[in-house]
Amino acid sequence: GENVEQHPSTLSVQEGDSAVIKCTYSDSASNYFPWYKQELGKGPQLIIDIRSNVGEKKDQRIAVTLNKTAKHFSLHITETQPEDSAVYFCAASNAGGTSYGKLTFGQGTILTVHP
Amino acid sequence: GAVVSQHPSWVICKSGTSVKIECRSLDFQATTMFWYRQFPKQSLMLMATSNEGSKATYEQGVEKDKFLINHASLTLSTLTVTSAHPEDSSFYICSARNVGAGDAFFGQGTRLTVV
C-alpha cells in the first residue's frame, strides 16, 4: 500500500517568514495530493491540492509543488501569520474507482508562527 | 467547499455502552464516506470505507463487530462504537466523497471519552 512520509514534525518560524513542509510517497499510482490544516479539536480543512498532471499550484500565500519522478511534494507558505499556526497534513490518493477519496496521510507538521 | 457535518462533536459514555456518531453531507451526495481515528498528536488512521447500500470495507486490524458502520443513504453514514472501553477513547473523523467532483471533505470530528 501507499506510505507517506512528512517532514519536519515541528516547524517554528517568525511572522512574515516562509514555511516549507515536505512529503514523499511510495506508490507511483498515486495521482492526487491534498494538504490539510487541522486546528486543535477540529477536523482537517483542505487548503490546497494538486493532481499528478500539474507540477505546481498556487493560491495566494500557499503553493504546492509536485515532483512525480522523485515522488516528492511540498507545501510552501509565504508571509506567514500567527493564524497559520496549526498542524498540517499531507496526503496521497489514487484517484481511481472506489478508492478515490481514500487518503493516506503523512505524520503531520506542527507549525508555530511567532509574532 | 462542500460541507460535511458530524454529530456529536463530543461525547462521554460509560464503559460497556454503545455510542453512535453521525456523518452527513449537507450539500452534496456522497456514495462513499470514510471513517478515521486520530490519537492525540498523531496522524489520521483510516478505519473503514463506507459505501452507500453495501457493506463497509474495514482496514486491517479494525474490528468490524466493534465499529459498526451503516451507510443507508447518499447523505448519511453512521459509526457505532459497541461496548465501548476506555481504550476506544479517541477523536473520530469522517470524510465524504463528492460524487460530482470526486474530492473528499472532512467533518469536524467527534471526541469520544469512555469512562
Side-chain angles (χ1 to χ4, degrees):
Chain A
E2 175 65 276
N3 182 52
V4 178
E5 296 287 334
Q6 183 173 345
H7 298 280
S9 56
T10 61
L11 180 58
S12 183
V13 300
Q14 289 297 127
E15 182 176 2
D17 289 349
S18 295
V20 180
I21 303 171
K22 299 181 179 181
C23 288
T24 61
Y25 62 99
S26 62
D27 188 352
S28 57
S30 290
N31 53 17
Y32 176 63
F33 307 93
W35 285 88
Y36 292 90
K37 177 183 181 182
Q38 187 179 28
E39 297 177 336
L40 191 63
K42 298 184 179 180
Q45 178 186 8
L46 178 68
I47 56 172
I48 197 168
D49 58 12
I50 192 168
R51 301 179 193 276
S52 59
N53 59 345
V54 176
E56 183 175 359
K57 184 176 179 180
K58 189 174 182 180
D59 182 5
Q60 299 182 343
R61 297 187 296 110
I62 296 173
V64 57
T65 58
L66 172 65
N67 182 328
K68 285 178 56 180
T69 302
K71 298 194 186 75
H72 289 172
F73 59 112
S74 300
L75 176 71
H76 304 253
I77 305 174
T78 59
E79 301 173 26
T80 54
Q81 302 167 1
E83 49 266 38
D84 293 330
S85 298
V87 181
Y88 290 81
F89 290 99
C90 64
S93 173
N94 180 356
T98 57
S99 65
Y100 200 116
K102 181 178 179 180
L103 299 166
T104 301
F105 283 86
Q107 295 85 346
T109 297
I110 301 172
L111 173 64
T112 303
V113 181
H114 299 282
Chain B
V3 178
V4 175
S5 177
Q6 193 171 335
H7 179 81
S9 56
W10 62 270
V11 57
I12 301 173
C13 71
K14 291 184 177 181
S15 186
T17 62
S18 295
V19 174
K20 180 184 285 188
I21 302 169
E22 293 186 347
C23 181
R24 294 180 184 274
S25 55
L26 297 185
D27 53 359
F28 66 96
Q29 293 184 330
T31 55
T32 305
M33 291 186 176
F34 303 87
W35 288 96
Y36 294 84
R37 183 173 183 176
Q38 185 178 33
F39 290 106
K41 298 185 179 181
Q42 293 190 21
S43 189
L44 287 77
M45 291 183 57
L46 181 66
M47 299 175 64
T49 302
S50 168
N51 295 298
E52 187 266 338
S54 63
K55 291 183 179 180
T57 302
Y58 291 82
E59 296 299 301
Q60 189 173 6
V62 178
E63 301 176 57
K64 60 181 181 181
D65 294 330
K66 173 81 174 171
F67 300 99
L68 300 179
I69 292 173
N70 185 299
H71 193 160
S73 77
L74 286 173
T75 59
L76 174 64
S77 176
T78 61
L79 168 67
T80 301
V81 183
T82 62
S83 186
H85 292 284
E87 56 265 32
D88 298 325
S89 299
S90 189
F91 194 53
Y92 293 88
I93 311 170
C94 71
S95 74
R97 173 188 169 186
N98 186 333
V99 173
D103 299 336
F105 297 91
F106 284 84
Q108 58 268 57
T110 297
R111 172 73 59 194
L112 170 64
T113 303
V114 184
V115 298

